Every structure is written in C-alpha cells, then in structure tokens.
Amino acid sequence: MSFLNLYQTEDGIIWLISNYILYSYDSENNNIIPFPITLSYKNSMFEDSSGIIWIGTSSKGVFSFDRVKKKFTLYNHNPDDIFSIGGNLVQCVYEDRSGNLWVGARLTGINKWNKYKWKFNSVEYDPKGNSALLNNDIYSIYEDENHQLWLGTNSRITVLDSESFLLKNRHNKFNALKRLEKEQISCIIGDPANKNIIWISTLDAGLFKYDTKRGLIQQFKCVLKDSLTLSDSLVTSLAHLGENYLFIGTFSGLDLLNKKTNKLTKFKRKIDD
C-alpha cells in the first residue's frame, strides 16, 4: 500500500490517502477507518479553525469533511455558476487570520470562500488587463502580518491585498522579488522568531530568505561536491522546528538549517539501510 498524502489534525488523528481512498488513523487506539469517498491522484489536505477538513484534488475540485456530522461536501467548477470554484485542479488550501479560506488552483487562479453565503469569489490572471494576479498557477499561499497574501506560482510570487484584491508587487519595497520571476514557488512560510522574515522554496533554485523590512534576499542552494550546501536545489516543503531551526524537504533528502549560524544538517537514508 502506497500513501500519497499524510496530514495530522489538531486532535492528533492522522489522515492518509492511499489508492484514492481516505483513511483516518487513531494511534492511541491503533484504529484505522476508511471513508466512502474516491479521491484523485494528487491531493492536498488542510484543517480549518472550526475543525473542518478540506481536501483539494487534481481533477474533482475540493471536498469539505464535517467530522461531527460525518458529511462530505464537494465543491467543483460549474461553468453556469459564477460563484462556483474557478477550477477543479486544486493545489493548496489556506485559512487567513480573519478565518477566510483560500483555495489555490492550477491554471485558474485563486478562490476566496464565503462561508456565510456558501459561494466562491475567484480571481484570475488577465494578460490583457490590470490583473490582480501575475500568474494563474497557484502552488502555495501565505498571509503576512499586514494581511497580504503571498501566492507562490509556477513563475513568480504574487503579493495580494486579501480584502481589496489589489496587486502589491508594484511597490518598490518588493523589488527584490524580481529575482524570483522565473522560479516555480513550491512553499512560502513566515518565521516564528522574526515577523519580517519570509522563507520561500523553489523547484529549481533552492531556498530563499527574504527580509521584508530591509528588502534583502538570501539564497541557499545545492552546489555539487560541497557538503555545506543544500542536498538539492529542488525544494518541495518547509517546516519550522522551534524558533531556531528550519526543516527543508528536498528531492534528494531532508535538511535542517540552523537559522542563527546558517549551518545545515543532512538526513539521508538509503532504501536498503
């Protein structure tokens, strides 16, 4: 059995997707429960502040799962409904500080979920007009301290005002981000020790540390035959370990960055070990 996705909710339950089926695993009682829902090949999972689990799929749209009512609800694109989700290939789900849910999709931009009216508002890139987005392929979403959404796409970062949908990248303070205009942005996260720092991973150029206050950007990448650099410049995921360490998931292994010293520790394990 192969697992395509793992996610742990606040109550400690681990959620797994295998062979297009959703399972929950209660480690305390050693109990695995399958759910009567068929998913797609690539899925993303997210638990919102009310305990609802959202499951983005690569072809069907996004499911919500109310664990109290044990009810699944599917939201997919309906060309006859302007308030339906913009597209069915969902790559990420994110909840901002105001409780708004954002759904990033491939080729169809970003969607804001109105939980009171049960409808989506979609924002897409328009190459012919004054578009709020710089790209329609959304890989990752992050909200900073100023309630600005940072959207990682397949060719750059879009910084968007979460209320007005106004594009923020045109401001001079974001000039350093021009360095990332041709990069695929896989993950964006803040820093628990410094609200001015944003960490950005890419699928080809490694990891970037961006100081929003000073407008400075620092790159960490793989240099062949240099053991002090990243294991690989293809970085897929980021996660903090306390305030001083950052886990970096790469194509060639897991690295741990000491943010104070910039020293890297590498965790590699051969399959036959």
Side-chain angles (χ1 to χ4, degrees):
M1 179 180 288
S2 61
F3 297 103
L4 299 179
N5 200 293
L6 297 172
Y7 186 84
Q8 187 173 31
T9 46
E10 288 292 329
D11 57 3
I13 301 297
I14 297 175
W15 300 81
L16 316 95
I17 295 174
S18 177
N19 298 324
Y20 311 108
I21 302 297
L22 176 69
Y23 298 86
S24 68
Y25 173 60
D26 183 348
S27 58
E28 289 189 4
N29 299 306
N30 196 28
N31 188 27
I32 296 179
I33 301 175
F35 290 86
I37 180 175
T38 302
L39 300 171
S40 53
Y41 173 71
K42 185 179 179 181
N43 305 274
S44 58
M45 286 190 282
F46 179 82
E47 180 188 22
D48 68 21
S49 56
S50 64
I52 301 295
I53 297 177
W54 295 82
I55 307 170
T57 75
S58 59
S59 61
K60 297 182 178 182
V62 61
F63 287 92
S64 69
F65 177 44
D66 187 322
R67 287 182 284 171
V68 176
K69 298 180 180 179
K70 298 182 179 180
K71 179 183 178 181
F72 286 93
T73 303
L74 174 64
Y75 303 91
N76 54 16
H77 177 63
N78 180 353
D80 297 322
D81 182 2
I82 62 172
F83 295 117
S84 69
I85 194 170
N88 289 331
L89 204 167
V90 174
Q91 301 190 128
C92 55
V93 182
Y94 183 85
E95 185 178 31
D96 65 23
R97 290 176 174 81
S98 300
N100 298 308
L101 201 75
W102 299 85
V103 179
R106 179 169 173 77
L107 305 178
T108 53
I110 192 167
N111 305 265
K112 183 179 182 181
W113 168 244
N114 188 321
K115 58 186 175 183
Y116 301 107
K117 296 183 179 180
W118 285 64
K119 68 179 184 180
F120 285 96
N121 292 319
S122 300
V123 182
E124 293 189 29
Y125 168 62
D126 180 8
K128 298 180 181 180
N130 187 21
S131 177
L133 295 186
L134 298 176
N135 191 288
N136 266 336
D137 204 348
I138 311 298
Y139 288 173
S140 56
I141 306 171
Y142 168 73
E143 183 190 26
D144 66 19
E145 294 291 325
N146 298 314
H147 301 284
Q148 298 174 138
L149 290 180
W150 293 60
L151 310 178
T153 78
N154 71 350
S155 65
R156 64 180 69 188
I157 288 178
T158 291
V159 183
L160 192 70
D161 186 285
S162 61
E163 294 299 328
S164 65
F165 293 142
L166 290 177
L167 183 65
K168 292 291 189 176
N169 292 58
R170 295 189 177 94
H171 293 186
N172 291 334
K173 69 176 182 178
F174 293 108
N175 282 343
L177 294 180
K178 292 181 179 179
R179 185 174 176 181
L180 303 174
E181 284 189 351
K182 296 183 179 180
E183 303 298 341
Q184 292 179 294
I185 311 299
S186 57
C187 185
I188 306 173
I189 62 174
D191 191 301
N194 188 338
K195 65 180 181 180
N196 297 314
I197 299 298
I198 293 179
W199 297 89
I200 303 164
S201 65
T202 73
L203 296 181
D204 186 56
L207 172 69
F208 292 85
K209 176 185 178 182
Y210 179 49
D211 188 324
T212 60
K213 186 176 182 179
R214 297 190 294 168
L216 300 178
I217 195 165
Q218 179 182 4
Q219 183 181 19
F220 301 83
K221 64 180 181 179
C222 175
V223 178
L224 293 179
K225 298 182 180 180
D226 187 346
S227 61
L228 300 179
T229 65
L230 286 181
S231 295
D232 200 304
S233 289
L234 194 166
V235 180
T236 59
S237 56
L238 302 171
H240 289 289
L241 178 62
E243 292 191 349
N244 299 323
Y245 294 91
L246 179 70
F247 275 118
I248 307 164
T250 81
F251 183 75
S252 300
L254 179 67
D255 295 349
L256 181 65
L257 174 68
N258 183 321
K259 294 185 291 183
K260 289 188 174 182
T261 64
N262 285 342
K263 181 180 179 181
L264 284 164
T265 301
K266 301 183 180 183
F267 302 90
K268 290 189 177 181
R269 181 181 177 91
K270 295 181 180 180
I271 295 175
D272 56 356
D273 281 355

